Structures are given as C-alpha cells and as structure tokens.
Amino acid sequence: MSSAVGTPAPGAVQPMVKAEGVHKSFGHVEVLKGIDLEVAPREVMCIVGPSGSGKSTFLRCINHLERINAGRLWVNGHLVGYREKGGRLHELRDSEVAAQRRDIGMVFQRFNLFPHMTALENVIEAPIQVKGVRRAEARERGAALLERVGLADRVHNYPNQLSGGQQQRVAIARALAMEPQLMLFDEPTSALDPELVGEVLDVMRGLATDGMTMVVVTHEMGFAREVGDTLVFMDDGVIVESGDPRSVLTDPQHERTRSFLSKVL
C-alpha cells in the first residue's frame, strides 16, 4: 500500500476522508475499536452518539491532533500523519503534519479565539503567518469571510465584545481563511445558549450549500436530518449504524440506535 489511496477506477471518486480499521487508546482505555468509513467530496457527514462514544476523538484523529494506534486514515488520498515505506508506517515530522493540516479546517466546541485580537485579526493571523499571504490581501479576504458569516459589522470587535454565537462564527471564518478542502466541526453549538445555536447552524448550512466537505459531530438532530448526507451513530468506540439521516432517524435498525434516539428526539 502506498501513501496515496491509489488511482480510482474510471468514474469513481476518490474519498475526501477514508478510515480503515482505526483504533485509538488512552492508556488501557480503548476509545476507538476499528472505525471504517468514507466521506465523499462535498458530502456532509453528521456523527452522533452518547458522550464517551469516541466521536470527538475520531474527529481529532482525522487531522492528527490524536495519533492513531492502528489502522489507516487518508485525507484527499494522502495518509494522515504518516508515510508508509516497506509496509511500515513512519511518523511525519511536525512541519509535515502542519502542512497537511492547512487543508483541514477545524471548529471546536470552545471558540479558542485570541482574546487580544479583533475578529478580523483572529481571521487573518494564520494566512499571514502560515501561508505568507500579504496583509492587505488577508485583510480583504478576512473582511469578506466575516461578511459571509454575518459579522460585517463586528470586524473590529474583540472576542469579549461578542456573543458566544458570534465568537463561533468568527472561529468558522478563521478556519475558512486557510481555504480548507475539508471542515471538521466538534459539537460547534454545544457551548452556546439555545437562542444562539441557529445563527451558527445557518452558517454551516450555507457552507454545505456551497459544496464544502464537512464532518460534523453534533447533537443537533434537526440539522443532521436537514443538511446531512450521511448520519453515523457511534457508541462505545464503534460505528453501530450509518445511512441516510432521515432513514436512520425515523427507522433505526439497531436497538442501540433506537435507545439513543428515544432519549434525544
């Protein structure tokens, strides 16, 4: 096996994300017990499940914030975090991993904005420092991204002058500023007051409409039903069930899925 997934068959589309037998342990606790899935380009995959099921850990493995213990993960045809040579995996240098991450945007539960920077400064920092974009160009694009997420009037506000929903929208604009091929969302609305959830989900709907490939760990079943192309239910480190969100939500095939959905729907 090479470091690329290989040339797809004629007419086939190379997955944006491909996981094969992904395992992850923390000490003696096995959190992921062999995850296999594929995310196609432009697909929105929503991952749901109880706390502790491994959802967020898997998301962090996709961009090598967590090192997997076994299996393989590819993003856009390239092994994540490793190079394969002679049948053995060799971990990439930090600089090589950082280069891979440029194509993967991630939005966390907590906004992680720099408190001493304005909304615009938060958005333009990485393009300038990591990609070497000229400041004037970065500012122009950053302002356009903040307008895209509905914050054209908050460009010069600091995080402590913004609501939680506004801060999360700045975080989304910041991730988009690196022009990623893939966006990962780790429960992006769970830290928000209920009345602020909708404004963040609206931005995510817009990204989906624009064709962004997204993997979303979420408790928002309405969003999964409306926007998701695939719904994955995880429990105890394994994928229990996956399929069309409307089918899984209305007619789950597994008792564990039925039990979970009965508590959240």
Side-chain angles (χ1 to χ4, degrees):
M1 190 187 298
S2 68
S3 61
V5 173
T7 305
V13 177
Q14 179 171 271
M16 180 62 74
V17 180
K18 182 178 173 69
E20 282 186 358
V22 170
H23 288 254
K24 173 64 184 176
S25 298
F26 295 101
H28 298 297
V29 180
E30 192 177 23
V31 178
L32 299 177
K33 303 175 181 178
I35 300 296
D36 297 288
L37 60 73
E38 291 187 3
V39 183
R42 304 175 68 89
E43 179 177 353
V44 178
M45 176 178 284
C46 295
I47 303 178
V48 303
S51 297
S53 58
K55 310 182 301 295
S56 294
T57 296
F58 176 66
L59 208 66
R60 292 170 66 85
C61 289
I62 293 175
N63 65 356
H64 207 58
L65 287 174
E66 300 289 355
R67 294 172 172 84
I68 64 177
N69 299 115
R72 301 283 191 277
L73 258 172
W74 293 267
V75 171
N76 204 23
H78 298 282
L79 267 178
V80 174
Y82 298 93
R83 178 183 299 106
E84 189 159 1
K85 191 173 181 181
R88 295 175 63 86
L89 290 181
H90 303 270
E91 190 154 9
L92 298 178
R93 296 190 300 271
D94 288 347
S95 60
E96 294 173 303
V97 173
Q100 285 189 331
R101 286 200 190 115
R102 292 179 195 175
D103 294 331
I104 306 171
M106 186 154 185
V107 178
F108 298 89
Q109 204 169 334
R110 296 288 171 179
F111 325 120
N112 298 333
L113 299 179
F114 296 116
H116 62 289
M117 293 183 177
T118 65
L120 181 60
E121 288 167 344
N122 266 282
V123 171
I124 68 176
E125 178 73 4
I128 291 171
Q129 299 298 333
V130 178
K131 298 180 85 171
V133 176
R134 295 195 322 276
R135 180 169 291 273
E137 182 184 338
R139 289 180 68 88
E140 184 178 346
R141 176 162 167 74
L145 285 169
L146 286 168
E147 182 176 3
R148 181 179 179 182
V149 299
L151 293 173
D153 59 340
R154 298 285 190 226
V155 169
H156 301 300
N157 287 76
Y158 289 89
N160 67 0
Q161 299 171 313
L162 301 172
S163 70
Q166 290 169 335
Q167 290 185 61
Q168 192 62 294
R169 285 186 279 157
V170 173
I172 293 173
R174 179 180 60 181
L176 291 173
M178 291 295 284
E179 300 183 303
Q181 298 174 320
L182 168 68
M183 285 284 284
L184 309 176
F185 293 86
D186 188 7
E187 302 196 20
T189 60
S190 63
L192 300 178
D193 292 333
E195 67 270 20
L196 302 177
V197 168
E199 62 192 47
V200 174
L201 294 181
D202 283 345
V203 171
M204 293 169 66
R205 283 188 191 93
L207 292 178
T209 301
D210 291 344
M212 176 63 74
T213 309
M214 298 159 60
V215 183
V216 184
V217 171
T218 185
H219 292 297
E220 301 292 339
M221 298 299 163
F223 176 85
R225 179 188 291 109
E226 178 192 341
V227 181
D229 298 299
T230 307
L231 182 67
V232 171
F233 171 62
M234 283 182 65
D235 191 18
D236 195 27
V238 299
I239 293 175
V240 176
E241 187 166 349
S242 67
D244 175 83
R246 288 149 291 279
S247 299
V248 174
L249 291 171
T250 57
D251 187 24
Q253 300 301 299
H254 293 262
E255 178 53 41
R256 286 158 79 183
T257 317
R258 285 193 288 272
S259 175
F260 172 75
L261 292 177
S262 71
K263 297 179 177 73
V264 299
L265 290 178

